[in-house]
Amino acid sequence: FKSLDNLEENTENKEWPTGDAEKVKCLIVGSGPAGYTAAIYAARANLSPVMYEGMQPGGQLTTTTEVDNFPGYPSGVTGPEMMEDLKKQATRFGTDVRWGMATKVDLSKRPFKVAIDDKTLLEAETLIIATGATAKYLGLESEEKYKGGGVSACATCDGFFYK
């Protein structure tokens, strides 16, 4: 997902999708651990959450090979496996997981308006923004070469390098 700071809020240079808006109780933008945790709790509270995954379903954690610091995995787990487990749990409770990216928002009044891929219009009673983080690299050729082999961008995620 793009940071919501980059989205156009209440701008006139970009049109909203036309047609009737889909009304949802709870819209979740982002599909990393925070998004899926929100989805699980919202679904268990009968809020019928709708989640849009964005460009990287499962979030940044899907690029992590070893996750040793998340509760419930005493032997560790890979990032992609963990995110698949979270997705299964969220959908088991009724979360509607969809592909798409929030491209425009209006947070000035309720219900919140959100455009998905500049084509679909949603009106959400509740909007949970869980767009996560993006690693910030310097852009050096050697960074790419040694990423995952000594060059890290997240002390918590890559702590296993230094065991």
Side-chain angles (χ1 to χ4, degrees):
F1 276 99
K2 296 184 269 186
S3 165
L4 286 184
D5 296 337
N6 295 333
L7 292 179
E8 298 177 39
E9 186 176 345
N10 296 324
T11 57
E12 295 180 20
N13 64 346
K14 195 175 204 182
E15 296 295 319
W16 283 95
T18 57
D20 291 335
E22 178 184 358
K23 293 174 181 11
V24 297
K25 287 183 188 177
C26 178
L27 176 62
I28 301 168
V29 177
S31 61
Y36 277 118
T37 301
I40 291 164
Y41 280 93
R44 289 178 54 98
N46 295 317
L47 295 176
S48 306
V50 173
M51 170 189 279
Y52 277 90
E53 292 184 300
M55 291 190 322
Q56 189 173 18
Q60 186 179 2
L61 203 56
T62 59
T63 64
T64 304
T65 56
E66 303 280 335
V67 179
D68 287 326
N69 61 338
F70 196 86
Y73 295 98
S75 300
V77 66
T78 68
E81 287 175 306
M82 187 177 109
M83 294 316 303
E84 193 57 40
D85 287 348
L86 291 176
K87 182 176 184 177
K88 285 177 189 173
Q89 189 174 3
T91 57
R92 179 169 69 98
F93 289 115
T95 301
D96 180 357
V97 179
R98 302 176 183 178
W99 173 257
M101 185 181 328
T103 51
K104 186 173 181 176
V105 298
D106 181 352
L107 306 177
S108 65
K109 63 182 187 244
R110 290 179 185 257
F112 302 118
K113 284 174 45 175
V114 180
I116 303 295
D117 298 323
D118 296 321
K119 296 177 185 168
T120 303
L121 180 60
L122 297 160
E123 289 183 353
E125 293 176 30
T126 303
L127 174 61
I128 298 173
I129 301 167
T131 54
T134 303
K136 303 231 187 277
Y137 292 98
L138 299 173
L140 303 173
E141 187 178 312
S142 58
E143 274 179 323
E144 193 60 38
K145 180 178 178 182
Y146 295 111
K147 193 184 298 179
V151 172
S152 63
C154 173
T156 302
C157 307
D158 301 334
F160 70 91
F161 284 140
Y162 309 101
K163 284 184 184 174

